[in-house]
Amino acid sequence: MKKSTRGCNVFSVAFISLVLLLISCRKNSGQPTESITIDLSAYSTQSIESAIESVSAVDFKIDDSWIYLNTSSMTKTENSYAFLDKENGVLQIYDVDGHKKMSRSLFGRGPGEISNNIGVFFALNKDFYVYDAGNGVLMRYDENGKFISKWNSEDNIIDDYLYCIDRNKYVGLCTNRYNDSDEYVYVYDKDGKTIYTYLQLPHYLFDKRIKFGKTPNSYIYKDTVRFILPYDYNIYSVTENSLSVTYQFIPENPIPPSVLKNAEDVTSLNTLSKLVSGGYDFGFRNIFETDSYLFFDYSSKQSIKECMFDKRSRTLRVMPHPDKYYNKGMAENMSVDDVWQYLLYDISPIYCDGEFIYGRIYINTYEMLKDCSDKLDDRLLSLKNNLEDYIKANNITVGHVIILKIALSR
């Protein structure tokens, strides 16, 4: 295990976390659970790829509408895959064998149609939910894309993100309540009435929409909504009647309180520049949680680190992103570890389920594997052959996305 001394850094992190917790809970009748500490300076020598059993292409049948998957969010029920292109509002649903069941644009003003401002997209039980962030309405569709119902809060509040955690409870997250409230979390009942509020926002975040990564820094895990705030080191969990810290990151290079204090009076871009130049640990993003693992990226010392935390052994694995882009001339000197590093760097995660991570790649990733054919282990060789067959069968060319399924060890 790699270790480093942090001295007064521990005090800084503890102080920030204590302040956030002390101001976090209003009308909170639930009991917080014990948080899990993740020390970012203490990580295992085990590699991320050692926890991967296999990687394979999902056998979707491709047609002209496949181009929308380049910018689509993904979710899944037991019987269907669904993709939603936020730029064009195109919803596409496939069965478990990869055959398309439906494709339609949701943009419009009719029943089941939404504005051109899509928030989160997720599945609950057998239904799909789309948050219309332009109108503050959560739309519900069945597994065939048929509109079922819509829901909005009693006060018509427009949240940044809105989730349903069961058929009767809804969680909204927002940095601007439009009603002089400075709390971030609202829990609503089935009629749209606010029943709980949590987490007073620090002044440096209020009314500033700051986002890191390609996916929302909030997600549903079982019966909770989990999220992390910009510049914070806690992943919070919201249930119907409680808010608690589930994971607490202990950074090696924490953000000084003075930088956050100054962030109140400057633009987000100025703060970001200060954080990057200072080499601080920040910008936690692309967070995905399976039954056994927590995945996330974060910035540190002007680089990005990809991390896997094993929830069972409480160990952290870290892989830095490559320091240069791959080119064919590098293949001769590549090792199998290098190939894995570039493969994991190329995969953009878009969904997780059980012990599976789904992500998208493009044909250049296959070309890299082909260039390095003599360096591949059994899992990489199987993936290369699988991609070769899939690309030929579907006439994949430059610009076509390929959806991969990563099976993790149990």
Side-chain angles (χ1 to χ4, degrees):
M1 303 286 284
K2 178 184 174 184
K3 292 286 185 181
S4 68
T5 59
R6 296 182 298 281
C8 64
N9 288 348
V10 174
F11 173 78
S12 298
V13 175
F15 176 77
I16 293 171
S17 298
L18 177 61
V19 171
L20 284 168
L21 284 173
L22 286 176
I23 65 175
S24 66
C25 299
R26 297 183 181 182
K27 296 182 284 185
N28 183 350
S29 61
Q31 295 297 317
T33 58
E34 179 187 0
S35 62
I36 297 172
T37 299
I38 303 176
D39 189 341
L40 299 176
S41 68
Y43 48 86
S44 170
T45 56
Q46 291 182 299
S47 63
I48 291 178
E49 63 267 22
S50 64
I52 296 175
E53 292 185 349
S54 65
V55 187
S56 59
V58 184
D59 189 20
F60 290 111
K61 309 303 185 289
I62 294 176
D63 59 18
D64 291 342
S65 64
W66 188 254
I67 191 68
Y68 292 115
L69 267 72
N70 286 334
T71 56
S72 287
S73 300
M74 175 184 170
T75 191
K76 186 178 181 294
T77 64
E78 183 178 347
N79 301 311
S80 303
Y81 296 92
F83 299 89
L84 180 60
D85 171 27
K86 293 187 177 183
E87 293 183 3
N88 300 283
V90 176
L91 174 65
Q92 299 189 80
I93 300 177
Y94 294 79
D95 65 22
V96 292
D97 295 320
H99 297 96
K100 188 164 68 177
K101 298 163 66 175
M102 62 81 64
S103 177
R104 59 168 286 204
S105 174
L106 299 182
F107 288 167
R109 297 186 178 183
E113 296 181 328
I114 62 178
S115 70
N116 60 354
N117 188 358
I118 295 174
V120 290
F121 174 51
F122 61 93
L124 182 66
N125 299 321
K126 295 184 177 182
D127 298 325
F128 298 112
Y129 290 79
V130 179
Y131 178 49
D132 182 347
N135 296 316
V137 176
L138 189 64
M139 312 292 279
R140 179 180 164 202
Y141 305 86
D142 68 14
E143 287 186 307
N144 295 310
K146 181 182 178 181
F147 172 65
I148 300 175
S149 63
K150 65 180 181 180
W151 181 95
N152 57 275
S153 69
E154 187 177 64
D155 299 323
N156 294 314
I157 293 173
I158 298 180
D159 296 282
D160 292 344
Y161 305 109
L162 182 64
Y163 297 92
C164 180
I165 52 177
D166 62 28
R167 286 280 188 252
N168 298 311
K169 297 296 184 298
Y170 299 82
V171 174
L173 309 174
C174 191
T175 54
N176 187 340
R177 303 304 311 183
Y178 305 102
N179 59 358
D180 298 324
S181 172
D182 58 359
E183 291 176 304
Y184 185 60
V185 182
Y186 273 44
V187 180
Y188 309 100
D189 65 15
K190 62 182 178 61
D191 299 316
K193 181 181 178 181
T194 302
I195 52 177
Y196 297 103
T197 62
Y198 305 111
L199 198 60
Q200 183 179 357
L201 278 172
H203 291 167
Y204 54 81
L205 293 180
F206 186 72
D207 206 16
K208 292 183 179 180
R209 296 194 175 187
I210 304 166
K211 178 184 175 182
F212 299 111
K214 297 180 179 179
T215 56
N217 281 345
S218 55
Y219 58 97
I220 294 178
Y221 182 74
K222 301 188 183 301
D223 61 346
T224 69
V225 172
R226 292 187 174 168
F227 66 90
I228 187 169
L229 290 169
Y231 314 145
D232 193 15
Y233 296 117
N234 300 304
I235 294 181
Y236 298 91
S237 292
V238 183
T239 65
E240 173 187 342
N241 60 359
S242 71
L243 179 142
S244 60
V245 175
T246 300
Y247 300 102
Q248 182 181 36
F249 298 116
I250 305 299
E252 188 172 3
N253 308 291
I255 304 170
S258 59
V259 172
L260 298 181
K261 177 63 178 176
N262 293 336
E264 297 178 18
D265 303 316
V266 299
T267 66
S268 300
L269 185 60
N270 286 336
T271 302
L272 179 61
S273 176
K274 183 73 172 179
L275 295 175
V276 172
S277 62
Y280 306 118
D281 297 345
F282 79 101
F284 293 85
R285 55 190 174 270
N286 301 329
I287 301 173
F288 291 87
E289 185 171 357
T290 71
D291 291 341
S292 300
Y293 302 97
L294 179 73
F295 288 85
F296 59 93
D297 297 348
Y298 75 100
S299 298
S300 179
K301 299 178 181 178
Q302 290 87 43
S303 65
I304 298 176
K305 296 182 179 180
E306 189 166 330
C307 303
M308 167 195 275
F309 179 72
D310 190 322
K311 295 156 61 175
R312 301 161 300 183
S313 63
R314 303 288 178 91
T315 56
L316 179 67
R317 309 178 194 207
V318 176
M319 184 199 77
H321 282 187
D323 57 7
K324 57 183 176 181
Y325 293 112
Y326 171 79
N327 65 75
K328 190 178 180 69
M330 297 166 55
E332 182 178 353
N333 297 316
M334 293 267 281
S335 67
V336 65
D337 291 336
D338 295 329
V339 177
W340 273 109
Q341 184 184 35
Y342 276 94
L343 172 64
L344 295 176
Y345 171 75
D346 281 354
I347 298 173
S348 296
I350 54 177
Y351 179 71
C352 66
D353 180 20
E355 293 301 354
F356 299 99
I357 296 282
Y358 295 83
R360 58 174 156 245
I361 62 167
Y362 294 89
I363 195 170
N364 60 299
T365 301
Y366 163 71
E367 297 293 344
M368 184 270 294
L369 293 173
K370 188 170 66 171
D371 293 341
C372 303
S373 293
D374 60 334
K375 312 293 176 62
L376 307 183
D377 61 20
D378 290 343
R379 293 166 298 169
L380 292 173
L381 183 60
S382 175
L383 173 60
K384 182 192 78 72
N385 293 336
N386 172 230
L387 286 175
E388 184 172 311
D389 293 341
Y390 183 74
I391 288 168
K392 289 180 179 178
N394 291 277
N395 195 28
I396 298 288
T397 59
V398 175
H400 281 126
V401 70
I402 301 170
I403 304 299
L404 293 186
K405 181 179 182 179
I406 304 171
L408 303 172
S409 58
R410 299 177 182 271

